[in-house]
Amino acid sequence: MKLPSLAVALMAVVAAACSPKADAQSSAQTTPQAETAQVEGAPYVLKGTQVWTVPDPVSGRDYEVFVSLPASYEANPQRRYPVLYVTDADYAFPIVRQVARRVNLDGPRLEDFILVGLSYSRGDSGVVSRNRDYTPTPNGPRSASSNVHGQGAAYQTYLKTQAIPFIEDRFRADPARRVLLGHSYGALLGAQILFTDPSMFHSYILGSPSFWFDKRHIMTMEAAYARSHTDLPADVFMYVGAWEVPGPSPRNTSGADMVRDMQTMEATLKSHRYPNLRVQSVVLADEDHLTIAPVGATRGLLAVLPAK
């Protein structure tokens, strides 16, 4: 049982149209003259962004991280900012960047934050990279049996020991205010981190989470955490589309009942009465696994990073 990946559906369109790479790699040396020079028919680039290569010394893979600094960053040299890390950056980074800007057009509704996009391993497709890096066990769905799964723990270690320190060494990031936003398998990765090393992030936005993966293995991880802990210090916001349920509609994207899975997870977490856990969820009407990402991300940002 494999969900159609939002990354697969949108990555080619958004990444091709909005790739930050060319602009970012030259931004540090760009002169005013260079900024005015144009090559007709050149690819569109997302201005004001950066791309950095952050290798994983264990796997030997090279990963790219995309960075967008808030407009207030240069004018406030003493200020530290929350950082929003978003998985599946090839499509999600430009979407979240523009969502955050538009939400604040008529006045601040979101706090300023540093946006970091976690891209795929260089040389791998999004499908290969996310199936391998975002899943907790090797037992992937039968329809994707040709792909490697289950290296989520290794990727989590890479984030903790390489990607996050890289960002916090170079930018004025507030280590106490890290936020992770993931959709589908990206949300599954977020839940894995939540139940194994929750302090890696202060807040978790889990969108259309693939809790169905490997016979709902994530519930086993949740139960293991609950047996040995009396608190779960985190701010968790989950969203799912109302169409993400079994049924004959072409807008249903799998045989899994993702609405029920999310609601079960929320009820389970609340039943433990963790003193420092804040969890909330929303089912968004007339949205499916593919259409929900922009509006779901907007709702999640408003929930965990409201303007002060």
Side-chain angles (χ1 to χ4, degrees), residues 91 98 164 244 271 291 297:
Y91 80 84
Q98 293 310 109
I164 291 174
E244 297 189 71
S271 72
T291 65

Side-chain angles (χ1 to χ4, degrees), residues 14-199:
V14 177
C18 303
S19 171
K21 188 174 300 184
D23 180 75
Q25 289 176 335
S26 61
S27 60
Q29 291 83 27
T30 298
T31 64
Q33 293 79 9
E35 288 177 350
T36 59
Q38 295 185 3
V39 177
E40 293 300 317
Y44 174 78
V45 296
L46 195 59
K47 295 181 180 180
T49 62
Q50 307 173 27
V51 175
W52 299 85
T53 300
V54 183
D56 178 8
V58 177
S59 69
R61 301 184 187 100
D62 286 337
Y63 291 89
E64 291 178 336
V65 295
F66 307 161
V67 179
S68 176
L69 302 175
S72 62
Y73 190 86
E74 294 300 329
N76 295 272
Q78 304 305 314
R79 182 177 175 183
R80 290 193 172 272
Y81 292 82
V83 182
L84 174 68
Y85 294 83
V86 60
T87 65
D88 292 299
D90 294 54
Y91 80 84
F93 178 82
I95 291 175
V96 173
R97 183 175 186 262
Q98 293 310 109
V99 163
R101 291 185 170 204
R102 291 196 64 81
V103 167
N104 282 345
L105 280 180
D106 291 333
R109 296 184 63 196
L110 290 175
E111 184 178 355
D112 282 351
F113 60 86
I114 298 170
L115 174 62
V116 175
L118 302 170
S119 188
Y120 308 122
S121 53
R122 188 175 292 149
D124 288 334
S125 69
V127 173
V128 168
S129 191
R130 69 196 310 273
N131 275 279
R132 179 191 63 228
D133 293 340
Y134 294 177
T135 55
T137 77
N139 303 319
R142 195 174 307 169
S143 59
S145 59
S146 61
N147 291 320
V148 174
H149 294 79
Q151 296 184 19
Y155 185 72
Q156 178 177 329
T157 298
Y158 160 76
L159 292 181
K160 185 172 184 176
T161 63
Q162 304 300 322
I164 291 174
F166 179 91
I167 295 299
E168 294 180 354
D169 285 347
R170 283 161 179 78
F171 303 99
R172 296 195 309 276
D174 183 351
R177 302 196 63 206
R178 302 180 195 132
V179 182
L180 180 65
L181 190 164
H183 184 93
S184 191
Y185 272 6
L188 180 64
L189 172 69
Q192 170 195 292
I193 295 172
L194 179 66
F195 300 135
T196 56
D197 192 359
S199 63

Side-chain angles (χ1 to χ4, degrees), residues 197-209:
D197 192 359
S199 63
M200 268 184 68
F201 297 93
H202 171 269
S203 302
Y204 294 79
I205 302 173
L206 308 180
S208 295

